[in-house]
């Protein structure tokens, strides 16, 4: 075979390139979305099948109006804080955008990703729809998703450490470890964000600026990531605490520690909305309580209402972008 003939033979794509092509295909994204929604619907049905509509309505109505109002307020504060995840991540990736752009992409993607699960894929796909229009490549969008994931990890670790230090007795009861071990676990959790800040503080001349092709964030961005990550999960825990307050003397630190544990398990399992995981952890925290109503209210306030709003915002933005593209594609007379 001559060199010219060899040059005409198409090169076989690598396994990574083929996988990337499959993951980016519209058919795969639609199937993945439909499967996640179906799984979420099945889990919701399984959780509610033993209750009649009248029982569910009575359980929901048992949640005080004040608790419902504050739960909605804390949920809104959480989603507002989440917009800063993307705002900071874009700066880490070297592609800063205005806050309103980051907020639009963040709310549209996370309101969906939180509910259907597999947040890295589901929210990442929606983020790509926005950020690609604003000049980011697929690799840069992937970096944004990874930096947002770092903010999530730093926030979970920090809030977990703080709550275990504030209320080690509840942590000991939930985890099944002696108080001394709980305090050691709290110290280990807080050591992770402390190490992240220490790495960010090292001068560039003493450490590579890029690690695994990721830009090392400056100290102020790293500190902001730890702060907004912690504040976000504190708001979500406060939302859950408000719907549980009327069930007994359950303090905020205990609810926050329970939610951190449930959220960590949800991230590992990718169960849509943490369905069943949050219930199990909270049931362990408040044994014997009628939790179906308060937890259903929590899901309506924090997951389902933002999901409806997020899908509406995404649909409107798609229509606006398509209309604007159609106008720019029209031939000039």
């Amino acid at each position: 075979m001559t060199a010219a003939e060899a040059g005409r033979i198409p090169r076989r794509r690598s396994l990574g390139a083929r996988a990337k092509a499959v993951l980016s295909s519209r058919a795969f994204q639609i199937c993945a979305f439909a499967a996640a929604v179906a799984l979420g619907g099945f889990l919701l049905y399984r959780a509610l099948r033993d209750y009649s509509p009248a029982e569910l309505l009575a359980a929901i109505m048992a949640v005080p109006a004040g608790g419902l109002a504050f739960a909605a307020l804390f949920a809104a504060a959480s989603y507002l804080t989440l917009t800063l995840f993307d705002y900071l991540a874009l700066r880490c990736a070297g592609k800063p955008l205005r806050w309103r752009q980051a907020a639009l992409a963040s709310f549209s993607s996370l309101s969906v990703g939180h509910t259907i699960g597999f947040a890295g894929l589901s929210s990442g796909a929606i983020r790509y729809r926005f950020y690609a229009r604003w000049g980011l490549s697929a690799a840069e969008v992937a970096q944004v998703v990874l930096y947002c994931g770092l903010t999530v990890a730093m926030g979970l670790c920090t809030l977990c450490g703080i709550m275990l230090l504030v209320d080690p007795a509840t942590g000991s009861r939930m985890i099944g470890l002696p108080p001394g071990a709980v305090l050691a676990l709290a110290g280990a959790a807080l050591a992770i964000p402390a190490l992240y800040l220490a790495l960010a503080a090292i001068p560039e001349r003493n450490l590579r600026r890029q690690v695994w092709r990721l830009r090392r964030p400056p100290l102020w961005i790293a500190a902001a990531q730890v702060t907004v990550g912690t504040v976000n999960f504190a708001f979500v825990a406060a939302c859950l605490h408000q719907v549980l307050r009327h069930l007994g003397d359950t303090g905020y630190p205990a609810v926050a520690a329970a939610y951190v544990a449930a959220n960590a398990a949800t991230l590992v399992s990718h169960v849509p909305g943490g369905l069943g995981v949050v219930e199990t952890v909270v049931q362990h925290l408040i044994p014997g309580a009628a939790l179906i109503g308060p937890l259903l209210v929590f899901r309506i306030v924090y997951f389902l209402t933002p999901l409806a709003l997020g899908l509406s915002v995404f649909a409107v933005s798609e229509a606006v972008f398509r209309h604007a593209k159609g106008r720019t594609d029209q031939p000039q007379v």
Side-chain angles (χ1 to χ4, degrees):
M1 181 184 296
T2 65
E5 292 172 336
R8 288 194 296 268
I9 298 177
R11 294 182 178 179
R12 299 183 65 180
R13 291 187 299 176
S14 65
L15 180 60
R18 292 197 299 271
K20 182 179 179 180
V22 171
L23 292 174
S24 61
S25 67
R26 184 172 182 82
F28 175 82
Q29 293 175 0
I30 292 174
C31 290
F33 181 84
V37 171
L39 176 60
F42 168 73
L43 292 174
L44 184 62
Y45 163 76
R46 191 177 67 177
L48 303 179
R49 64 185 176 184
D50 295 331
Y51 301 89
S52 68
E55 290 173 327
L56 291 175
L57 181 60
I60 293 172
M61 295 299 293
V63 177
L68 178 60
F70 276 108
L73 181 63
F74 285 125
S78 168
Y79 278 95
L80 180 62
T81 306
L82 283 169
T83 64
L84 297 176
F85 282 39
D86 281 56
Y87 183 75
L88 295 170
L90 287 163
R91 275 155 175 71
C92 288
K95 292 290 182 177
L97 294 175
R98 288 173 291 183
W99 173 80
R100 67 186 184 204
Q101 292 174 294
L104 179 62
S106 172
F107 180 72
S108 300
S109 61
L110 292 177
S111 60
V112 175
H114 279 170
T115 304
I116 69 172
F118 299 96
L121 289 176
S122 56
S123 66
I126 297 178
R127 279 186 174 108
Y128 181 77
R129 294 288 295 173
F130 284 98
Y131 291 140
R133 297 186 180 106
W134 296 326
L136 274 71
S137 66
E140 289 165 342
V141 175
Q143 289 185 37
V144 170
V145 173
L146 286 174
Y147 285 121
C148 288
L150 276 174
T151 306
V152 169
M154 295 304 110
L156 278 176
C157 289
T158 304
L159 186 63
C160 175
I162 292 174
M163 292 302 105
L164 289 179
L165 287 177
V166 171
D167 190 5
T170 299
S172 178
R173 187 173 73 252
M174 289 179 56
I175 304 173
L177 296 175
V182 171
L183 293 177
L185 181 61
L190 291 174
I192 295 175
L195 178 61
Y196 184 64
L197 294 175
L199 289 174
I202 297 175
E204 290 185 12
R205 64 178 180 274
N206 297 330
L207 190 69
R208 292 176 56 188
R209 178 171 176 77
Q210 294 189 0
V211 179
W212 298 309
R213 297 186 178 181
L214 291 178
R215 292 171 177 263
R216 186 165 57 92
L219 180 59
W220 76 269
I221 289 184
Q225 286 179 290
V226 174
T227 302
V228 300
T230 306
V231 170
N232 167 64
F233 287 112
F235 281 143
V236 185
C239 175
L240 178 59
H241 178 246
Q242 288 300 314
V243 301
L244 294 174
R245 286 183 62 184
H246 70 287
L247 294 179
D249 187 19
T250 305
Y252 173 78
V255 174
Y259 179 74
V260 168
N263 200 277
T266 299
L267 291 175
V268 173
S269 62
H270 294 292
V271 174
L275 192 59
V277 180
V278 176
E279 285 81 355
T280 301
V281 175
V282 175
Q283 186 68 60
H284 186 72
L285 177 67
I286 316 175
L291 295 174
I292 187 65
L295 290 178
L296 188 56
V297 169
F298 172 68
R299 295 200 174 281
I300 292 172
V301 170
Y302 193 78
F303 293 103
L304 299 183
T305 300
L307 174 63
L309 293 174
L311 289 175
S312 300
V313 170
F314 181 58
V316 170
S317 65
E318 284 287 304
V320 170
F321 280 126
R322 288 179 183 275
H323 178 69
K325 186 177 185 299
R327 293 183 59 183
T328 56
D329 290 345
Q330 289 180 357
Q332 299 297 322
V333 180

